[in-house]
């Protein structure tokens, strides 16, 4: 993430990370999730689902911050995101020793 | 990071009759979003869902009652409010939600909604306004904006549409709000407030109808959403008279009214039921 000034409490800020899950056969290809994703995580895939629509595809998984907007704008209950617990190995200087093993 | 294959459990699946999904609503139709916002509000409201009923009328949005895994009622055309009123009067402990469309609630059932608002019956009414009669092929409705083209007004609608928030407020509703499907978080929060509100709560949800309305007015679903993004103004507490639906001038969204007034059941008990001591 780009900051014009590094926040003083940057170490304490925890940016949540999410993983987008797509139930492809429910999708009707309206494109709302793609157009309104604030982090530009999705794009339209070239393959077809069972109904002949192009479901969205995750093109930029690392950008997802688990805001759930795709989930709540989707008219077809076809997409949702779940939070990925932070990995203590990647988080360098953070003191929290990962409580969740999974 | 890996993209997981289709996982079967959407967070709202517990509230949906999944065997009926995918639903019949067209690609880009806003009813699905309004429906999931309503379910999300129910899911997080902490209400006893065994004592919650969803009532729908006829029309595209009327299908919602059939898709919820709650006790639900798909009623005759325009009569969602009378069925809901009866249910509430017979069993006041039920939480009754009416989820229906603009044609069903304001054209065919127009009389019922003004009287339910006048009596201040404790209902939550979600009106999905897609500006036309979508299911029957995009005919002009009581909510179609002036000069909009529909199947039955190919040269543009010569009439003026209803201002729904003003109408229900004038009739006596005690909670009035309007959102679009793009403002989903506000909508969900508003539904939650309406569920906990005592009295007649009305929420209008603007939703695109790409097949019936958008196609004839050169609006793709994403164009409609862009319109919702650019031509709307959130103004909580605004006078409902300002809330005229005209995208040229800008559409006012927000929670317009929230006030307290004795409900229908309270007034009835107070005036028509004698206290036990007096009776004995």
């Amino acid at each position: 993430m780009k900051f014009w000034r590094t926040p003083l409490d940057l170490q304490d800020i925890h940016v949540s990370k999410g993983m987008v899950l797509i139930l492809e056969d429910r999708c009707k290809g309206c494109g709302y999730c793609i157009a309104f994703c604030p982090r530009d995580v999705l794009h339209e895939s070239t393959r077809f689902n069972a109904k002949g629509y192009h479901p969205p595809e995750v093109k930029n998984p690392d950008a997802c911050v688990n805001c759930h907007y795709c989930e709540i704008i989707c008219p077809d209950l076809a997409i949702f995101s779940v939070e990925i617990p932070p990995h203590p190995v990647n988080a360098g200087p953070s003191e929290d020793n990962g409580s969740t093993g999974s | 990071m890996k993209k997981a294959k289709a996982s079967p459990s959407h967070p709202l699946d517990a509230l949906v009759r999944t065997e009926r999904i995918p639903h019949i609503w067209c690609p880009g139709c806003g009813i699905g979003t309004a429906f999931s916002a309503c379910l999300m509000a129910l899911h997080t409201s902490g209400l006893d869902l065994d004592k919650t009923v969803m009532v729908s009328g006829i029309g595209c949005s009327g299908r919602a009652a059939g898709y919820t895994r709650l006790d639900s009622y798909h009623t005759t055309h325009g009569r969602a409010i009378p069925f809901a009123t009866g249910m509430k009067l017979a069993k006041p402990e039920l939480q009754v939600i009416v989820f229906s469309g603009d044609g069903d609630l304001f054209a065919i059932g127009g009389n019922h909604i003004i009287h339910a608002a006048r009596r201040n019956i404790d209902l939550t009414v979600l009106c999905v306004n897609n500006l036309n009669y979508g299911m029957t092929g995009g005919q002009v409705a009581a909510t179609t904006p002036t000069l909009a083209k529909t199947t039955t007004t190919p040269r543009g609608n010569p009439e003026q549409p209803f201002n729904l928030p003003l109408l229900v407020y004038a009739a006596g509703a005690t909670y009035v709000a309007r959102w679009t499907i793009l403002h989903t978080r506000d909508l969900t929060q508003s539904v939650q407030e309406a569920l906990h509100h005592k009295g007649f709560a009305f929420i209008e949800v603007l939703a695109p109808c790409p097949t019936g309305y958008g196609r004839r007015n050169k609006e793709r679903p994403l164009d409609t959403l862009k319109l919702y993004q650019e031509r709307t103004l959130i103004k909580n507490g605004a006078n409902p008279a300002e809330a005229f639906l005209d995208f040229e001038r800008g559409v006012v969204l927000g929670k317009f009214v929230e006030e307290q007034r004795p409900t229908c059941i309270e007034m009835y008990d107070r005036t028509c039921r004698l206290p036990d001591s007096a009776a004995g």
Side-chain angles (χ1 to χ4, degrees), chain B residues 148-222:
Chain B
K149 293 195 171 70
T150 66
T151 329
T152 45
T153 56
R155 301 164 131 210
N157 179 21
E159 298 168 359
Q160 180 179 308
F162 270 140
N163 176 350
L164 304 184
L166 179 62
L167 179 63
V168 288
Y169 175 59
T174 48
Y175 184 101
V176 182
R178 172 198 271 159
W179 297 104
T180 76
I181 62 149
L182 193 68
H183 301 79
T184 324
R185 289 191 208 274
D186 302 280
L187 171 62
T188 309
Q189 198 189 346
S190 196
V191 176
Q192 268 186 19
E193 284 174 15
L195 287 169
H196 290 109
H197 178 78
K198 243 168 131 239
F200 189 87
F202 173 80
I203 301 168
E204 177 186 4
V205 190
L206 297 177
C209 176
T211 314
Y213 184 87
R215 191 155 49 110
R216 296 191 177 80
N217 291 286
K218 306 270 185 299
E219 267 182 40
R220 291 166 181 281
L222 281 169

Side-chain angles (χ1 to χ4, degrees), chain B residues 252-271:
Chain B
V252 181
L253 308 175
K255 178 171 74 177
F256 301 130
V257 177
E258 186 173 20
E259 53 194 38
Q260 295 297 326
R261 190 156 68 83
T263 64
C264 174
I265 296 175
E266 281 169 8
M267 284 307 283
Y268 185 82
D269 287 348
R270 213 180 288 172
T271 51

Side-chain angles (χ1 to χ4, degrees), chain B residues 14 39 47 74 93 120 123 128 148 173 208 212 228 236-237 246 259 262:
Chain B
L39 292 185
L47 293 169
H74 193 179
E93 71 273 17
N120 199 22
L123 300 177
V128 180
Y228 292 166
N236 287 314
D246 180 359
E259 53 194 38

Side-chain angles (χ1 to χ4, degrees), chain B residues 74-103:
Chain B
H74 193 179
T75 68
T76 48
H77 202 359
R79 313 298 173 232
I81 299 256
F83 278 82
T85 305
M87 217 175 284
K88 187 74 192 175
L89 292 180
K91 279 186 174 271
E93 71 273 17
L94 292 180
Q95 181 77 44
V96 185
I97 302 151
V98 177
F99 188 102
S100 204
D102 53 305

Side-chain angles (χ1 to χ4, degrees), chain A residues 39-57:
Chain A
R39 302 302 300 269
D40 212 10
V41 172
L42 300 160
H43 73 156
E44 193 177 66
S45 65
T46 48
R47 59 177 186 283
F48 296 95
N49 69 5
K51 295 258 183 188
Y53 297 108
H54 294 291
E57 197 173 48

